[in-house]
């Protein structure tokens, strides 16, 4: 009853604080994802983003990012969706880095009109990496012959069970350079004159939030709650916008939640998921973090 009566009072006479919707983007960025292997991708975050930008009276949307990177495609798609919604709804986007926003995680952070980090956050890693394993010598030792039949001379390029070829490596590097240039252009377009003149800026190195501010990668050092209350007043309320719950009540991968539950996830997913989780753990491990 009290809530109903409050809504009858004109807004200008209500003693309410500003409500800022918050979306938390968490995890390694991958096209797939399930309850056993949470991943950050557009499919998983689109609904939460739409809901957050639908807050009619909110002057801004706050986005919390905690990601070591991953798929450049999914990173760009999330970035673009945030920018499109910001333009459509006329909202300011404030990004807050938690433990890490590196590589694809930093690409998503570029969607912010302003980026804030903790002094000990990790930011940057503006580069492209590809990795894998080669097994040709192992096959020889165990007496297995690799047989590959293709229609197309390059169909089996970079086959991990065949010796590396120089022309294949050069082709892969050419792709990496193209993607790297797209990333560099995004950083320059979004950060503009804020960037410092530093030869290592686009080398793939990563830095603390403190150093990131000096380089122009972030705008300030602040936590979300303090910054939003400073900006919009002490009565400002933060409202977490969560992803819809799926089967068994689990939330969509990528939105909210913290890294963890490794033992449970391994036990549930089985041997196949162990390799996927190891890959995710390696992404976090590059920055001294484990998933």
């Amino acid at each position: 009853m009290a809530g109903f009566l409050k809504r009858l009072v004109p807004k200008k006479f209500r003693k309410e604080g500003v409500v800022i919707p918050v979306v938390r983007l968490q995890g390694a960025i991958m096209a797939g994802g399930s309850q056993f292997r949470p991943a950050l991708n557009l499919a998983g975050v689109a609904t939460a983003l739409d809901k957050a930008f639908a807050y009619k009276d909110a002057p801004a949307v706050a986005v919390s990012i905690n990601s070591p990177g991953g798929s450049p495609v999914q990173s760009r798609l999330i970035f673009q969706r945030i920018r499109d919604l910001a333009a459509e709804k006329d909202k300011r986007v404030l990004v807050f880095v938690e433990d890490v926003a590196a590589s694809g995680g930093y690409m998503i952070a570029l969607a912010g009109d302003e980026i804030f980090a903790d002094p000990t956050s990790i930011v940057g890693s503006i580069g492209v990496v590809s990795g894998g394993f080669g097994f040709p010598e192992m096959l020889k030792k165990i007496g297995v012959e690799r047989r590959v039949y293709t229609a197309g001379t390059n169909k089996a390029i970079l086959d991990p069970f065949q010796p590396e070829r120089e022309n294949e490596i050069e082709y892969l590097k050419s792709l990496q350079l193209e993607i790297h240039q797209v990333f560099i252009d995004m950083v320059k377009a979004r950060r503009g004159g804020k960037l410092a003149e530093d030869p290592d800026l686009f080398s793939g190195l990563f830095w603390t939030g403190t150093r990131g501010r000096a380089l122009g990668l972030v705008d300030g050092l602040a936590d979300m709650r303090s910054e939003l209350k400073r900006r919009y007043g002490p009565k400002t309320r933060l409202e977490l916008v969560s992803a819809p719950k799926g089967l068994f009540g689990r939330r969509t991968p990528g939105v909210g939640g913290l890294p963890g539950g490794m033992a449970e996830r391994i036990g549930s997913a089985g041997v196949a998921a162990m390799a996927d989780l190891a890959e995710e753990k390696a992404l976090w491990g590059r920055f001294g973090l484990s998933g």
Side-chain angles (χ1 to χ4, degrees), residues 23 27 34 99 105 114-115 121 127 193 226 239 241 247 283 285:
V23 179
S34 69
D99 296 272
E114 294 177 72
I115 305 173
S121 297
S226 298
E239 193 163 301
V241 180
L247 189 63
L283 278 171

Side-chain angles (χ1 to χ4, degrees), residues 3 11 56 64 77 80 82 87 90 116 130 136 150 152 166 176 179 187 195 201 204-205 223 233 247 255 261 266:
K11 288 185 178 180
K56 186 176 179 181
S64 174
L77 288 174
Q80 195 60 55
I82 294 173
D90 192 26
F116 298 90
S130 299
T150 69
E166 192 63 34
Q176 290 179 321
I179 297 170
V187 176
L195 296 173
L201 196 59
L205 282 178
D223 67 275
L247 189 63
V255 181
I266 290 177

Side-chain angles (χ1 to χ4, degrees), residues 59-65 82-83 86 91-97 106 108-117 190-191 194 216-222 224 227-228 230-232:
V61 172
V63 179
S64 174
I65 296 178
I82 294 173
R83 290 315 311 160
K91 304 286 187 188
R92 192 161 184 80
V93 179
L94 303 176
V95 166
F96 295 85
V97 179
Y106 184 71
I108 296 174
L110 292 172
D113 295 296
E114 294 177 72
I115 305 173
F116 298 90
R190 294 295 299 165
R191 301 302 297 171
K194 298 177 182 179
L217 297 177
V218 302
D219 296 284
L221 305 177
M224 181 185 292
E227 177 61 25
L228 293 179
R230 182 195 69 79
R231 185 173 297 228
Y232 298 111

